[in-house]
Amino acid sequence: MRPPRAGRLPRRPRRPRREGGIPLRAVLPNTVTALALCSGLTAIRFAILGNWEVAVLLVLAAAVFDGLDGKIARLVRAESRFGAELDSLSDAISFGVAPALILYLWSLNGLGRFGWMIALLLALFCALRLARFNANIDQEHQPHKSAGFLTGVPAPAGALLAMTPLYLWLWTGEALLRTPVVIAAWTAFIAVLLISSIATFAPAVRIKQRIRFEAVVLLVVFVAALVSAPWPTLALLAIAYLATIPFSVRSYRRVRRLRAATPVPTSGPELPLP
């Protein structure tokens, strides 16, 4: 090792960079995910207090935050494994535990242990769906995803579908809609849709430039309807989404048939080496 020249101080060794940690640009999307988690937990609190309207609206707010955090992360290029894990934890609580407890406190507790089992089924199947999604996220072969579809009903949509009888009850006040047996059958049906392998339409839709103004008008009308008449709007939205499932299954089958009929390109004949 050469001795330092006269008049010069020896260079200090550079400190090694710390590995790990969350970059500053990832704070915003993770904060939005945390807001979704807080909304789901607070919805449980209002359900315990019997304030069903606020409980439902907080689950809806969690769904809005859940839709924003991923877009913000991609916008600021802050996707991370930490954010993905936090998002899954938030989804499990906001769209699995919270709706299950809301439905149990609202109606399913009338069935005793069986009602609690149905509530557990919804929360457990939501967690299983998220675990399956995380397990398959790095796999290259995903037929539904490559064709532009989802596998099963996504967790936010499942939560909003599970609470459809509650929307209708808040809208009409019909006592039949709060019958524990009816709610148990409906909740079990939605829980099965969460872990099913049916193809559903992906929520991301690219709007063509020539119809963007019309899309903005429809969005404004939807928001106005949601503010002025939230329960009819949510009920009709849930029914409309449920009605799209047969069309998504048929569309995916058509795509699969077209892929099967398309010949796989093969390489040309090998030329002899000189």
Side-chain angles (χ1 to χ4, degrees), residues 196-210:
S196 67
S197 298
I198 62 174
T200 57
F201 289 122
V205 180
R206 292 184 178 179
I207 302 175
K208 296 181 180 179
Q209 187 173 2
R210 66 175 181 272

Side-chain angles (χ1 to χ4, degrees), residues 99-131:
L101 288 177
I102 291 172
L103 292 174
Y104 176 78
L105 294 171
W106 175 61
S107 173
L108 291 175
N109 56 2
L111 296 177
R113 295 180 180 178
F114 181 74
W116 180 245
M117 184 184 70
I118 296 297
L120 288 178
L121 195 71
L122 179 63
L124 176 62
F125 281 14
C126 180
L128 290 176
R129 173 191 166 73
L130 294 169

Side-chain angles (χ1 to χ4, degrees), residues 169-258:
W169 178 77
L170 291 171
W171 178 17
T172 63
E174 180 63 40
L176 180 63
L177 297 169
R178 200 175 181 177
T179 306
V181 176
V182 175
I183 303 304
W186 176 261
T187 305
F189 170 64
I190 300 302
V192 172
L193 287 181
L194 284 169
I195 61 167
S196 67
S197 298
I198 62 174
T200 57
F201 289 122
V205 180
R206 292 184 178 179
I207 302 175
K208 296 181 180 179
Q209 187 173 2
R210 66 175 181 272
I211 60 172
R212 285 181 180 177
F213 179 75
E214 289 80 358
V216 172
V217 171
L218 290 177
L219 180 61
V220 170
V221 171
F222 171 74
V223 173
L226 190 62
V227 172
S228 59
W231 314 127
T233 303
L234 289 174
L236 293 176
L237 180 65
I239 294 172
Y241 177 82
L242 199 62
T244 63
I245 293 180
F247 297 98
S248 63
V249 173
R250 187 176 64 177
S251 298
Y252 176 69
R253 287 178 179 176
R254 187 185 303 114
V255 172
R256 190 172 58 180
R257 285 197 300 267
L258 291 175

Side-chain angles (χ1 to χ4, degrees), residues 22-31 76-80 82:
I22 304 175
L24 184 60
R25 64 178 180 273
V27 172
L28 180 58
N30 289 328
T31 301
V76 300
R77 297 180 182 179
E79 295 123 322
S80 64
F82 175 85

Side-chain angles (χ1 to χ4, degrees), residues 22-35 65 68-73 75-76 78 86:
I22 304 175
L24 184 60
R25 64 178 180 273
V27 172
L28 180 58
N30 289 328
T31 301
V32 176
T33 306
L35 288 175
F65 287 133
L68 290 176
D69 59 358
K71 292 181 174 58
I72 294 175
L75 183 64
V76 300
L86 181 61

